Amino acid sequence: FAQMDPNASTKRTDVSVKVTDRFVQEDTNKDGMLTIDEVKTARDAKRHERREHRFEDIDTSKDGMISRAEFDATHRMGGHGHEGMTPGENHSEEGHAEGGHPEGGHHEMGMGHHKPDMGGHGGAMFFAKADANHDGKLTLAEANTAALEMFDKVDTNKDGVATPAEKHAFHEKMRYMMAKAKQNSAGQ
């Protein structure tokens, strides 16, 4: 639930701040609890905003259409239309180059598709795990607890800072575990 830039260190103390900010933003009815529908609505709005920005980046002539030349130029730059990129380089939601996923490369603590975001594929699992009392709603305390538990798994040396190396190692471990689980389920 707390977004962590994979290319920067993150302090444990910052996780609760990020979780609280996101929780308040996504609690649209201000009842102090998040439902999976509120989270999915926020995720969909963010996706729409990213698509709009991506379109604006590609439409360099600003005529509301993408010409073949604009399309081709974007393709040569790794598919995102950001100047100064090398082929194959992706951009995150904030526009920072990295080797992530074109939908926005940040890996978030405990939550979707390459980024465990609570409304996505892995998000439903995070939501279910974080919902400690299984009432179908997340309180701020539940969201913080789950995000901090995830942080603690990433911070292998327990110094209160998740480094890029620790994040990468955790991501690779999760990819391996997911691939193994998929392989095991296919064999049954």
Side-chain angles (χ1 to χ4, degrees):
F1 202 71
Q3 191 175 45
M4 292 200 328
D5 180 344
N7 299 317
S9 293
T10 302
K11 296 178 183 176
R12 191 176 197 276
T13 53
D14 294 338
V15 172
S16 290
V17 172
K18 291 180 179 188
V19 168
T20 300
D21 289 347
R22 184 167 171 187
F23 188 96
V24 168
Q25 181 181 12
E26 293 184 9
D27 182 18
T28 55
N29 64 2
K30 305 301 178 203
D31 66 351
M33 294 183 215
L34 288 180
T35 64
I36 194 72
D37 289 337
E38 285 176 307
V39 172
K40 285 179 180 180
T41 298
R43 178 212 55 208
D44 291 346
K46 287 177 187 175
R47 281 185 179 166
H48 178 74
E49 184 178 332
R50 281 193 310 267
R51 286 184 185 123
E52 288 294 316
H53 286 264
R54 218 172 13 245
F55 183 89
E56 291 168 8
D57 286 345
I58 296 168
D59 179 23
T60 56
S61 66
K62 306 301 177 206
D63 62 358
M65 296 182 284
I66 298 174
S67 69
R68 182 64 189 198
E70 289 168 326
F71 179 85
D72 289 344
T74 299
H75 181 71
R76 283 190 303 274
M77 289 191 284
H80 302 283
H82 296 279
E83 293 183 35
M85 289 181 56
T86 59
E89 194 174 41
N90 291 332
H91 274 257
S92 69
E93 293 172 30
E94 286 75 26
H96 302 289
E98 63 179 84
H101 187 272
E103 283 295 310
H106 279 275
H107 304 281
E108 296 181 22
M109 292 302 293
M111 300 163 270
H113 181 70
H114 285 329
K115 56 178 189 176
D117 143 29
M118 285 204 343
H121 176 68
M125 291 186 295
F126 175 82
F127 194 96
K129 183 177 174 11
D131 183 13
N133 63 0
H134 308 291
D135 65 353
K137 299 175 183 176
L138 283 187
T139 64
L140 179 57
E142 288 173 323
N144 265 315
T145 298
L148 290 171
E149 285 174 1
M150 183 65 72
F151 178 91
D152 291 341
K153 290 177 183 177
V154 175
D155 181 22
T156 55
N157 68 358
K158 307 301 179 208
D159 66 352
V161 177
T163 65
E166 287 173 318
K167 293 174 192 179
H168 178 73
F170 180 78
H171 178 71
E172 290 303 312
K173 178 181 176 184
M174 294 305 294
R175 284 180 56 171
Y176 172 79
M177 290 172 57
M178 291 175 71
K180 189 169 180 134
K182 186 176 180 180
Q183 185 180 38
N184 289 341
S185 68
Q188 293 179 354

